[in-house]
Amino acid sequence: MNTPGESKLWHKQSFKDHVSAYLYLLPFFLIFGIFTLFPVFWSAYISFFSWDVLGTKKYIGFQNYIWLFTDDPKFWKSVLNTFSIWLMSTIPNLFLALVLANILNQRFIKGKKLFRLGVIIPNITSLVAVAVIFGSFFGYNYGLINYFLSELGLDKYDWGASYWGAQFAVAVMVIWRWTGYNAVIYLAALQSIPADLYEAARIDGASRTQQFFKITIPMIRPMIIFTVIMSTIGGMQLFVEPLIFSGPTGGPEGQTLTMVLYLYTEAFTNNNYGYASAIAWMLFLIILLFSMFNNFLTKKINSAQ
């Protein structure tokens, strides 16, 4: 409700002032409506049709969703792969980021600005370049890792054909790309902790390990929760790394076929746009449920403090 002062100011403004304000905002709402809202509602609409773009749309109701749940093992395999790669990449990624941030926050480190710049470089490197380089690392005949295995007298390992090997390779790409980014977030949180707390703990005889678990972790807990939520959402949308490493099918046995990669294959390879839209809405539902779980977990942690 407007206060008397605000109401008086509103009446003092001319009609042109009001119109010009809306005109300034109009480009944003137009672009947002065309490129965000319209595709969302359009995908929900065509998820009830069988449509290959060139032909006529045929209304089939909830049949696409029924097929997803009852007659599509490949979809459930993509769900399992997505969660598997997410687990293999997210936990080491966040742990390494916390360790890296803690090292960069130490007083004895020289050239901190250079190191801080260095850790963020993997995140701004082209994803295609990253996937191509890591693909050469994990190559069977000329890959760097197999070269070291041969030097140690071990057999070569076919990373691309193996189920866990291919997922491990994709997980390593994700870890390499996002560890520095999360480390910068943790570093900002670490630098906001008052030095007095550590000084008081040292006077009381607390070891560095005790300081880490009793002061550092509780003080940066909001940032840890934030990175977990963002990593969860990003992990559910994993696409470029498995596409470049294993192709649109996710490998010979679909080892790295994630949900978004399966959606892409159905839409742009098989031209099943209605079915791909149903997959997109299922992906939205899964991310929503995960976000609700994270929110529930956050409230539980905060209430336990």
Side-chain angles (χ1 to χ4, degrees):
M1 186 175 178
N2 291 337
T3 62
E6 289 172 339
S7 179
K8 197 174 178 181
L9 182 62
W10 171 269
H11 289 297
K12 276 186 178 179
Q13 292 175 331
S14 66
F15 177 73
K16 284 184 178 178
D17 293 331
H18 295 296
V19 172
S20 64
Y22 286 110
L23 286 177
Y24 280 123
L25 295 173
L26 187 61
F28 165 77
F29 285 108
L30 275 177
I31 294 172
F32 180 74
I34 293 171
F35 294 104
T36 303
L37 282 183
F38 174 72
V40 168
F41 289 115
W42 178 251
S43 68
Y45 171 70
I46 65 171
S47 69
F48 296 104
F49 289 84
S50 174
W51 185 42
D52 61 357
V53 178
L54 297 178
T56 307
K57 293 193 291 293
K58 181 183 176 185
Y59 180 74
I60 56 173
F62 286 92
Q63 191 59 50
N64 281 328
Y65 294 96
I66 294 171
W67 282 332
L68 265 181
F69 278 100
T70 61
D71 194 26
D72 191 356
K74 193 178 278 190
F75 170 71
W76 293 109
K77 185 171 188 177
S78 72
V79 174
L80 185 64
N81 287 344
T82 304
F83 278 90
S84 175
I85 296 173
W86 175 78
L87 274 174
M88 291 169 71
S89 59
T90 301
I91 295 173
N93 164 23
L94 296 180
F95 175 75
L96 289 173
L98 190 57
V99 172
L100 188 59
N102 204 41
I103 293 172
L104 290 176
N105 197 42
Q106 299 301 315
R107 291 180 181 176
F108 63 84
I109 296 290
K110 304 295 182 186
K112 286 182 180 177
K113 289 183 179 178
L114 185 64
F115 285 117
R116 289 169 187 172
L117 178 65
V119 297
I120 202 67
I121 285 178
N123 190 252
I124 60 175
T125 306
S126 165
L127 258 178
V128 176
V130 172
V132 169
I133 291 170
F134 274 86
S136 64
F137 281 171
F138 289 98
Y140 181 73
N141 288 319
Y142 305 104
L144 191 63
I145 296 178
N146 274 348
Y147 168 77
F148 285 116
L149 289 177
S150 301
E151 288 296 308
L152 294 172
L154 301 173
D155 293 332
K156 291 181 179 178
Y157 189 74
D158 195 347
W159 299 93
S162 161
Y163 183 82
W164 293 111
Q167 291 198 0
F168 175 77
V170 173
V172 169
M173 290 184 216
V174 177
I175 292 168
W176 185 83
R177 185 163 179 249
W178 289 103
T179 297
Y181 174 84
N182 289 321
V184 171
I185 294 175
Y186 290 152
L187 184 61
L190 287 172
Q191 291 179 342
S192 67
I193 301 175
D196 298 348
L197 292 176
Y198 292 106
E199 187 64 32
R202 275 195 293 271
I203 292 171
D204 289 340
S207 65
R208 283 189 176 275
T209 307
Q210 288 174 319
Q211 290 175 32
F212 181 76
F213 285 105
K214 299 293 183 181
I215 298 175
T216 305
I217 295 294
M219 292 296 287
I220 66 169
R221 182 175 287 138
M223 283 301 171
I224 293 175
I225 293 169
F226 169 76
T227 53
V228 169
I229 292 172
M230 296 307 294
S231 298
T232 301
I233 295 172
M236 295 296 107
Q237 298 176 339
L238 195 62
F239 172 66
V240 176
E241 291 90 344
L243 175 66
I244 301 295
F245 185 76
S246 305
T249 59
E253 296 180 4
Q255 306 97 309
T256 58
L257 184 69
T258 59
M259 286 188 285
V260 178
L261 187 56
Y262 185 47
L263 184 160
Y264 169 84
T265 305
E266 284 297 318
F268 299 106
T269 303
N270 300 330
N271 293 325
N272 293 327
Y273 284 83
Y275 196 62
S277 298
I279 296 171
W281 277 94
M282 280 302 300
L283 175 63
F284 166 76
L285 186 64
I286 290 171
I287 292 176
L288 181 66
L289 289 174
F290 242 72
S291 300
M292 290 172 66
F293 173 73
N294 279 326
N295 189 40
F296 168 78
L297 199 63
T298 305
K299 287 182 178 177
K300 281 287 181 187
I301 292 171
N302 287 333
S303 63
Q305 288 179 343

